[in-house]
């Protein structure tokens, strides 16, 4: 079984609809992240969470919200989807690392979201 | 602002050749530099990282070189195989593991 899973894998929705993307992990990691990938722009950080009670904005948080329901679950919501939110969305997890340190981030398979 | 860029969007090589993928970065304060591989339909997969106080690190068939003087990072893949075909991203880690990714280079390996 995959360590980091995302549901749904594909979603087509209409402008103005509320959408929730879910991420679950069995790695036991405290840290979880949501990224967005657009063609030619690489991955950009939307939100991240260092533990259940911690939520932080990333580079492009406007138009998104998140919820860390448990250590293993981190969901991303688009309250009112718009076409320029059409993208690939990736969830990632990692073990904690102190300032100046780094631990590998493990990525899920991604969710392809299309907003019409 | 911070930015991580790549010199070449697509690199085509023959199977068995050595591949070199380059990356320029702008944030001198980054702690780590990381290379990820992304195959079609999958999430990025960690390849190798290098701490900012190092200039070279080797893994299995891969070597990462860091030149802080010119803010340049490269990934060398020895004896490139068809399974190496993918998009490669460089990324830099600043502060508490906040990653800034480059735009990616597509590596195409032909038999």
């Amino acid at each position: 079984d995959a360590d980091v899973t995302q549901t749904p894998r594909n979603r087509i929705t209409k402008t103005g609809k509320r959408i929730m993307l879910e991420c679950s992990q069995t790695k036991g990691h405290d840290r979880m992240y949501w990224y967005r990938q657009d063609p030619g722009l690489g991955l950009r950080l939307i939100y991240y969470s260092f533990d259940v009670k911690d939520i932080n904005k990333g580079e492009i948080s406007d138009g998104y919200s998140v919820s860390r329901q448990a250590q293993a679950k981190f969901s991303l919501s688009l309250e009112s989807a718009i076409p320029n939110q059409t993208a690939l969305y990736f969830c990632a997890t990692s073990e904690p690392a102190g300032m100046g340190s780094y631990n590998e981030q493990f990525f899920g398979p991604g969710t392809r979201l299309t907003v019409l | 602002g911070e930015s991580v860029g790549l010199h070449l969007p697509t690199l085509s090589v023959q199977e068995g050749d050595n591949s070199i993928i380059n990356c320029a970065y702008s944030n001198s304060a980054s702690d780590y530099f990381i290379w990820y591989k992304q195959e079609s339909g999958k999430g990025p997969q960690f390849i190798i990282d290098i701490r900012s106080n190092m200039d070279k690190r080797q893994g299995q068939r891969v070597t990462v070189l860091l030149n802080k003087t010119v803010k340049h990072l490269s990934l060398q893949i020895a004896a490139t195989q068809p399974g190496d075909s993918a998009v490669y991203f460089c990324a830099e880690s600043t502060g508490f593991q906040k990653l800034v990714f480059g735009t990616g280079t597509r590596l195409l390996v032909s038999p």
Side-chain angles (χ1 to χ4, degrees):
Chain A
D1 289 341
D3 294 321
V4 184
T5 57
Q6 294 183 232
T7 56
R9 293 295 313 276
N10 289 281
R11 180 72 184 267
I12 299 174
T13 191
K14 295 182 178 180
T15 298
K17 294 292 186 181
R18 184 179 188 275
I19 297 297
M20 179 179 286
L21 309 182
E22 298 188 2
C23 177
S24 294
Q25 53 115 346
T26 58
K27 300 188 74 67
H29 290 167
D30 286 328
R31 297 188 173 184
M32 299 187 73
Y33 312 79
W34 274 105
Y35 291 89
R36 167 178 172 159
Q37 184 175 31
D38 296 277
L41 291 180
L43 283 79
R44 291 180 291 168
L45 183 63
I46 306 173
Y47 271 97
Y48 60 103
S49 168
F50 284 175
D51 62 45
V52 176
K53 299 179 181 179
D54 178 75
I55 299 291
N56 304 280
K57 292 183 177 181
E59 180 187 352
I60 52 165
S61 59
D62 287 349
Y64 302 94
S65 62
V66 291
S67 174
R68 184 79 184 269
Q69 301 96 322
Q71 186 203 39
K73 296 184 181 296
F74 192 35
S75 59
L76 175 72
S77 294
L78 288 68
E79 296 300 325
S80 180
I82 56 177
N84 75 3
Q85 291 179 311
T86 293
L88 269 173
Y89 290 86
F90 289 99
C91 173
T93 74
S94 73
E95 293 180 345
M99 189 69 173
S101 298
Y102 174 76
N103 279 325
E104 176 185 349
Q105 292 187 20
F106 295 85
F107 285 80
T111 294
R112 183 173 296 278
L113 177 66
T114 302
V115 183
L116 302 176
Chain B
E2 301 171 2
S3 66
V4 178
L6 294 173
H7 296 311
L8 297 173
T10 303
L11 176 65
S12 296
V13 301
Q14 295 285 327
E15 182 178 0
D17 288 350
N18 295 332
S19 302
I20 300 176
I21 301 172
N22 296 303
C23 177
Y25 66 92
S26 60
N27 187 354
S28 299
S30 295
D31 304 307
Y32 275 84
F33 298 89
I34 308 103
W35 282 100
Y36 277 89
K37 172 186 180 182
Q38 186 176 23
E39 296 176 280
S40 181
K42 297 183 179 179
Q45 180 181 12
F46 173 87
I47 301 173
I48 191 169
D49 62 18
I50 186 169
R51 191 166 183 168
S52 59
N53 62 355
M54 300 172 63
D55 53 22
K56 181 178 181 179
R57 190 175 185 203
Q58 289 184 294
Q60 186 176 13
R61 281 202 306 120
V62 296
T63 300
V64 56
L65 299 178
L66 177 62
N67 185 331
K68 294 181 286 294
T69 302
V70 295
K71 296 182 181 178
H72 185 266
L73 184 71
S74 69
L75 176 70
Q76 300 179 359
I77 304 173
T80 312
Q81 303 168 0
D84 294 326
S85 293
V87 176
Y88 290 80
F89 293 95
C90 64
E92 51 187 320
S93 176
T94 58
F96 293 96
Q97 290 187 267
K98 292 174 63 176
L99 291 182
V100 176
F101 281 83
T103 54
T105 293
R106 182 173 302 278
L107 176 65
L108 299 175
V109 184
S110 54

